[in-house]
Amino acid sequence: MFLGIDVGHSAIKAVVFDDDWNEVASAHANTSMYVPKPGYYETSINELWAQTKKVLREITREVNPNLIKGIGICGGANGLYPLDENLNPVGRGITILDQRAKYIIDKLKKEEKYNTLFRKLGMPVLPGAAPVVLRWLKDHEYERYQKIKHILARKDVVRLKLTGDISTEITDACFGLVNVRTQEYDEEIFEILGIEEMVDALPELRPNSYDIAGFITEQASRETGLKEGTPVVVGAHDACCNTLGVGAVGNNIVCTGGGTWSINLLVVDKPLLNPMWSCESFVKKGTWILEGSSPTATISLDWFVKSFCSDERRIAEERRESIYKICDEEISNVETNIIYLPFLIGLPWNYPFQSNATAGFLGIRIEDGKREFLRAIYEGVTFIHALHIEQFEKNIGVREVRFTGGAAKSEIWCQMLADVLGKKVLTVDKEETGCFGAALLAAIGTREINDVQDVVKFIKIKKVYRPVSYTHLTLPTN
């Protein structure tokens, strides 16, 4: 058996898979987001470990921990999770959504240094990127800044507690610390931001996400129930694990995640820079993954359901069914000319449109009602997914799409995506593809699987959606 752990921004999840890759146990626990001021988005590093322990105790009550051969871990990328010389948190972790350092980005652009960083990193530089946040701390909380001796990613602080290992790897370090071409730390990034002294706080950089980082310690065993000595691989950014978990590791197959964010990923064998995507490191040094993403997916449906669908929520409770199943039924035979722009919280990556884009409904007629608005949301979200994927199609080529996340549970959404793209859309038999991908990394690290490309042997396709010609929609070219 193998265990996959996903240290997400809103929850910790863990799933155990047997030797045939069937799910045998799972658990999750929510995590808090602290917003002490507008634009400040923080997380408690201690809480990440506390909730992980809670999840792992539940897992080890369900399965015999002696049968777990290896553990993989993934987590949300970007942000800063700093520790002091005693490995204690230096305040809360600062997440990808944080905007306090936006003035630094504006200054970099004014001084014409932003494009230099883009060429080095292969992606837009966000206010929540580790080196940018470090510069903010140096400017505004210098005493706290001086205490920082270790710069880690979200998943790394959890793995540290499990194994005692202080390291990271290229899929997380690429968000602000690593040169996109060499996949090694780039000290000039720190010089540009005026934080040269923080180079000494960088952890060991492992070249592959499946490298064994350490083993479950005696203390971690007592706290979680896991067997002491169980190997733990270094892990990866959650998008990389989702890509592994659907088998989109080559052959121009796109992994599309329909959660809060629209995340669209394509593995390539060389760095390809384009302002319409981020070029990130994949799980094996010498490979890269292109990510076109925006917070434009199920966040819009969640907002609409919460604000306007009290009747549908009541029906769902009475039937003991998911509210989203009710929404699918509501729009199944609805047509609308309403256009929905799904930019409820803007576009932090500054693509495919400007960062301050806002949401809205266009083309409303007097005969339109709730169902037409709901249908427009489904269509608007689908078109933004397609807009990201279209960039890959134009520049590289796309053979098919593997769809995962909450939206992939909706047959209407799956078919709509196939129709808009004019391509096959496939779903897999695993819901928690991030945990599955993390577990696959553990299997590679322990030599149960030979190589990254071999994971495709263990992917089971659940359903194939093919475009229906008479409903095919064409994306605007201008």
Side-chain angles (χ1 to χ4, degrees):
M1 293 194 296
F2 290 92
L3 169 62
I5 304 169
D6 185 348
V7 187
H9 283 107
S10 60
I12 310 288
K13 303 172 186 175
V15 181
V16 176
F17 302 91
D18 65 19
D19 290 345
D20 294 319
W21 296 104
N22 299 306
E23 182 181 313
V24 294
S26 64
H28 80 279
N30 293 330
T31 56
S32 304
M33 182 76 79
Y34 297 90
V35 188
K37 296 180 182 179
Y40 287 45
Y41 295 91
E42 303 176 350
T43 193
S44 165
I45 295 173
N46 288 331
E47 184 191 4
L48 290 181
W49 175 234
Q51 295 299 81
T52 301
K53 286 192 295 184
K54 178 181 177 182
V55 165
L56 295 177
R57 287 193 208 102
E58 186 174 338
I59 287 286
T60 54
R61 283 194 294 266
E62 292 186 45
V63 301
N64 181 351
N66 295 328
L67 299 178
I68 296 174
K69 301 174 186 177
I71 301 169
I73 187 167
C74 67
N78 239 313
L80 176 70
Y81 299 83
L83 305 179
D84 65 16
E85 61 185 356
N86 297 314
L87 303 182
N88 294 315
V90 184
R92 293 181 184 140
I94 297 173
T95 75
I96 182 177
L97 295 175
D98 200 273
Q99 294 293 308
R100 73 187 71 186
K102 186 178 181 301
Y103 75 91
I104 296 174
I105 303 298
D106 295 337
K107 184 179 179 183
L108 289 169
K109 290 178 178 178
K110 186 176 181 180
E111 295 175 352
E112 299 185 354
K113 295 177 180 178
Y114 184 88
N115 288 338
T116 301
L117 286 174
F118 176 83
R119 288 191 296 271
K120 281 184 166 293
L121 296 170
M123 65 183 72
V125 186
L126 297 185
V132 181
V133 174
L134 286 168
R135 178 69 229 196
W136 185 92
L137 290 172
K138 185 175 183 178
D139 288 347
H140 298 278
E141 297 182 14
Y142 188 65
E143 185 175 345
R144 179 183 176 191
Y145 177 81
Q146 287 184 304
K147 293 178 181 178
I148 297 172
K149 302 302 177 185
H150 303 282
I151 301 167
L152 295 178
R154 192 175 182 91
K155 72 172 190 320
D156 297 331
V157 296
V158 170
R159 195 192 59 255
L160 167 63
K161 289 290 190 177
L162 291 171
T163 66
D165 169 72
I166 305 173
S167 69
T168 193
E169 43 68 56
I170 58 175
T171 75
D172 262 326
C174 72
F175 291 96
L177 307 176
V178 165
N179 186 293
V180 67
R181 292 173 178 82
T182 65
Q183 296 179 310
E184 299 285 351
Y185 289 135
D186 189 333
E187 293 186 14
E188 190 178 346
I189 294 168
F190 291 73
E191 293 170 5
I192 290 171
L193 285 158
I195 53 169
E196 298 94 326
E197 57 276 4
M198 278 296 155
V199 169
D200 294 334
L202 292 171
E204 177 186 355
L205 180 64
R206 298 183 185 271
N208 307 305
S209 301
Y210 49 80
D211 293 338
I212 293 177
F215 303 85
I216 296 297
T217 64
E218 180 183 1
Q219 181 176 346
S221 177
R222 288 198 307 269
E223 294 188 62
T224 65
L226 294 169
K227 181 185 176 183
E228 182 182 356
T230 305
V232 182
V233 298
V234 65
H237 169 208
D238 55 6
C240 293
C241 282
N242 278 303
T243 302
L244 275 182
V246 300
V249 293
N251 299 318
N252 294 71
I253 299 174
V254 169
C255 171
T256 290
T260 300
W261 285 59
S262 165
I263 298 178
N264 307 276
L265 305 145
L266 180 64
V267 175
V268 293
D269 60 5
K270 61 183 178 181
L272 300 172
L273 275 60
N274 188 306
M276 294 299 285
W277 62 59
S278 298
C279 182
E280 303 160 10
S281 294
F282 194 45
V283 298
K284 181 179 182 179
K285 190 170 184 178
T287 59
W288 290 260
I289 187 168
L290 309 180
E291 177 178 352
S293 61
S294 54
T296 55
T298 58
I299 184 174
S300 289
L301 181 58
D302 292 340
W303 161 77
F304 193 83
V305 165
K306 180 180 178 181
S307 302
F308 305 108
C309 294
S310 56
D311 290 342
E312 288 78 7
R313 294 200 306 272
R314 177 181 51 78
I315 292 170
E317 289 176 7
E318 291 173 355
R319 293 190 194 174
R320 296 184 179 181
E321 292 179 344
S322 165
I323 177 61
Y324 303 109
K325 182 179 179 182
I326 305 300
C327 290
D328 279 6
E329 292 175 1
E330 287 280 290
I331 68 160
S332 59
N333 295 309
V334 173
E335 293 185 2
T336 183
N337 289 318
I338 296 175
I339 295 172
Y340 174 62
L341 307 177
F343 311 123
L344 285 174
I345 58 174
L347 293 167
W349 287 105
N350 210 31
Y351 59 66
F353 306 111
Q354 61 193 35
S355 61
N356 63 349
T358 56
F361 291 95
L362 305 175
I364 304 168
R365 307 284 296 191
I366 193 169
E367 61 267 22
D368 292 323
K370 185 192 299 181
R371 293 194 303 163
E372 284 74 22
F373 281 91
L374 194 55
R375 177 79 187 194
I377 287 174
Y378 275 64
E379 292 181 357
V381 167
T382 302
F383 268 105
I384 298 302
H385 273 304
L387 192 60
H388 287 298
I389 296 168
E390 185 188 45
Q391 295 300 320
F392 299 153
E393 174 72 6
K394 283 181 181 178
N395 291 277
I396 302 150
V398 173
R399 186 164 69 88
E400 67 183 39
V401 174
R402 304 277 176 97
F403 200 18
T404 185
K409 298 176 184 178
S410 164
E411 294 211 351
I412 289 180
W413 238 328
C414 292
Q415 186 61 55
M416 193 179 287
L417 185 59
D419 292 341
V420 168
L421 290 171
K423 294 184 181 294
K424 286 191 302 183
V425 172
L426 294 76
T427 57
V428 298
D429 70 335
K430 304 290 190 298
E431 288 191 6
E432 297 298 341
T433 50
C435 289
F436 184 37
L440 289 169
L441 286 176
I444 298 169
T446 57
R447 307 295 184 183
E448 290 280 331
I449 297 176
N450 290 328
D451 189 68
V452 171
Q453 295 299 321
D454 291 331
V455 302
V456 298
K457 301 174 185 176
F458 308 99
I459 307 301
K460 298 176 183 177
I461 300 301
K462 181 179 180 181
K463 189 166 182 178
V464 178
Y465 297 84
R466 301 181 186 277
V468 180
S469 58
Y470 61 82
T471 61
H472 178 69
L473 303 174
T474 303
L475 285 168
T477 55
N478 296 312

